Amino acid sequence: MFYKKPLSLQTIVLHWTTGLMFIAIFILGLYMVELPKGPDKFELIGLHKSLGALILIIAITRIVWRIKEGAIKPASIGSAWQNRLANIIHGLLMLATLTMPLSGIAMSVGGGRGADIFGWQLIAKGDSIPWLQELGSMVHGLSVNIIIALLTLHILGAIKHQIIDRDNTMARMLGRI
Ligand code: HEM
Ligand code: HEM
């Protein structure tokens, strides 16, 4: 049995804007840290930092919207543990869209470099604050494998709904129902 109620346009637009941006920034992060020091690496780190800070604004908008609208209901009736697991993963992914930008900004501000979005200054350069830089760096780095695991489960879940359950989960998130 399927729930036919569509998701709101805001939910769909905010999911794909944050989701695709998050994946792009994540892959950029993994790629740039492997590059040798030089102008290319420097430029990509700047791009990563600006896009990373920008996503924070979109993520906050999304979370405010989710709180206002309430949690989305499953598109099909699955077992209780599957629904609970999906909810936990959704919550942790949303949390990651806050902790990654915030820890990145903490790293940058802690290093005395401030934070900006493509030149639009958010926090001015200043003295370095070593504990803030270390904390930011620890959270940013330790989250990487957890996020990979969460995203893998999230995407596998969406594929399972599509191929095995053959329900409306994916169609609903794509705005097709
Ligand atoms: C190609 C990548 C992705 C696919 C195919 C995908 C697919 C989906 C689908 C089908 C749903 C609806 C689930 C349901 O109805 O129960 C959903 C919900 C959700 N997804 Fe994704 N997703 C992707 C990437 C991401 C990313 C990168 C994030 C966050 C970093 C994310 C966070 C969420 C959250 C929080 C929800 C709950 C609904 C909401 O509040 O927006 N997704 N996703
Ligand atoms: C959604 C937002 C973000 C995501 C998903 C993200 C993801 C990542 C990832 C995956 C890495 C590679 C980590 C590694 O393999 O060690 C990385 C590195 C880095 N990120 Fe982010 N990041 C985000 C936002 C930011 C922001 C806002 C800043 C700063 C303002 C920032 C600054 C950095 C820096 C400086 C590095 C390099 C760290 C090093 O050299 O070890 N990130 N990020």
Side-chain angles (χ1 to χ4, degrees), residues 15 19 62 66 72 90 94 97 151 154 169-170 172-173:
H15 173 266
R62 179 186 192 192
R66 182 62 42 251
I72 62 165
H90 292 166
M94 267 202 193
T97 62
L151 269 180
H154 184 60
T169 302
M170 206 48 198
R172 192 174 69 152
M173 192 44 104

Side-chain angles (χ1 to χ4, degrees), residues 4 11 15-16 26-27 37 48-49 55 85 92 96 98 102-103 112 118 120 122 130 132 146 153 163 174:
K4 287 275 187 253
T11 293
H15 173 266
W16 291 114
F26 194 86
I27 294 172
K37 278 203 173 99
H48 175 85
K49 288 166 78 169
I55 203 179
L85 181 66
L92 290 174
L98 292 182
L102 286 175
S103 58
F118 299 110
W120 173 48
L122 300 176
L132 188 63
I146 302 173
L153 284 173
I163 293 176
L174 290 169

Side-chain angles (χ1 to χ4, degrees), residues 12 25 40 50 65 78 80 82 97-98 107 127 131 147 158 175:
I12 295 171
I25 299 168
D40 282 354
S50 281
W65 173 255
Q82 281 178 4
T97 62
L98 292 182
M107 213 190 324
D127 295 337
W131 68 264
I147 291 172

Side-chain angles (χ1 to χ4, degrees), residues 157-173:
I159 294 171
K160 174 190 169 281
H161 277 287
Q162 185 66 18
I163 293 176
I164 298 174
D165 304 335
R166 292 166 185 259
D167 63 18
N168 282 333
T169 302
M170 206 48 198
R172 192 174 69 152
M173 192 44 104

